[in-house]
Amino acid sequence: MISVVIPVYGCETCLDELSIRLKSTLEEIVGDYEIIMVNDGSPDNAWAKIKALSDEDRQIKGIDLSRNFGQHHAITAGLDHSSGDWVVVMDCDLQDRPENIKDLYKKAKEGYEVVFGKRVERKDGFFKRLSSKMFYKVYDYLTDQSSDHTIANFSICSKNVVESFRRMREQNRLFPLFIKWMGFKTATVTVNHSSRKKGKSSYNLKKLIMLATDVIISQSNKPLRLSIQLGFLISLGSFLYGLFLFIRYFFLSVPVQGWTSVMVSLYFIGGLIFFNFGILGLYLGKVFNETKGRPLYLIQDKTEGFHNEKDRR
């Protein structure tokens, strides 16, 4: 059995074509499958469309979250409710082509637990491609890892991987990085990436920066080490400069000029102190959020396909 998990946000008009292409592809691979669409507080009528599709075909199931929790929380909700031996995760905007699932599944059957789709030629806009590259370069530097910006959510995972993923309940989530961290046998398959047909990405600059900050802080403490090193270098520089002024004044009789340099130095050091306190505060804030123990998502409604099934959350 194959489960397909799809977070849905702002793509109501894509769902008909998506379901048709998915069913056509899955029927060529296996006899049993389920398509799980998770409505992540979509501002359009996506939930009504999901319910209509589910009424027409019980292999299409829907989960309606109580509000917008974020793409990766929606993916988590879908994975928590999936029951397939293999689980595909893909976006709803048809940029991930359903037909490529056959390639992912074929590669997985060669003995891999995880297979990601590698988008060699991305059809996203220039800003999104640039921001993705910049994020992964900064992420790799701060976590001492090596990532591929052409890989996103489109993937197929074994049931064993999904069960392991369910045990990871951190609030700050990024699906592909969690899967990579697990270390299961992984492969990639080159896939075609389509242009977005309807709407636009909900990831604006502000959201991308917030996501990058959350992910880096949750995955690495290197920013704290860098702040310590920076503080040490500034202290060393200040000591050497003070020693230089001392020698000039007492041995060369050169007076110290005015207060301008002193005030500039004070403001500079003060700014760095507040900056370092800010980094520390971010880490403390994330720890505080984790200790609350709040659920990763709340479900408002489900389609009939989930009735009488055990909730695996």
Side-chain angles (χ1 to χ4, degrees), residues 98-124:
E99 294 76 17
N100 287 135
I101 293 176
K102 292 184 286 187
D103 302 318
L104 298 177
Y105 182 68
K106 181 180 179 181
K107 188 68 175 179
K109 297 300 287 183
E110 294 179 8
Y112 295 98
E113 297 270 14
V114 181
V115 179
F116 277 103
K118 184 179 177 68
R119 306 165 298 173
V120 176
E121 186 179 352
R122 293 184 59 174
K123 300 296 184 180
D124 294 316

Side-chain angles (χ1 to χ4, degrees), residues 27-85:
E27 286 169 359
E28 294 181 23
I29 304 174
V30 292
D32 192 14
Y33 63 87
E34 63 177 0
I35 301 171
I36 302 175
M37 297 183 180
V38 184
N39 179 42
D40 186 28
S42 184
D44 52 19
N45 294 316
W47 178 238
K49 172 58 69 175
I50 292 171
K51 289 199 295 183
L53 291 171
S54 180
D55 290 340
E56 296 173 4
D57 187 345
R58 290 302 175 89
Q59 288 177 300
I60 298 177
K61 302 176 182 180
I63 299 172
D64 185 28
L65 302 185
S66 61
R67 63 171 177 83
N68 177 250
F69 284 89
Q71 181 186 33
H72 298 279
H73 287 72
I75 290 173
T76 301
L79 292 176
D80 285 347
H81 290 79
S82 66
S83 54
D85 301 301

Side-chain angles (χ1 to χ4, degrees), residues 288-301:
F288 175 63
N289 286 336
E290 295 293 341
T291 59
K292 292 177 182 178
R294 292 181 179 178
L296 297 177
Y297 56 85
L298 296 173
I299 294 176
Q300 183 168 263
D301 195 10

Side-chain angles (χ1 to χ4, degrees), residues 88-106:
V88 174
V89 174
M90 64 183 298
D91 293 339
C92 66
D93 54 15
L94 292 173
Q95 288 192 275
D96 296 333
R97 298 185 182 184
E99 294 76 17
N100 287 135
I101 293 176
K102 292 184 286 187
D103 302 318
L104 298 177
Y105 182 68
K106 181 180 179 181

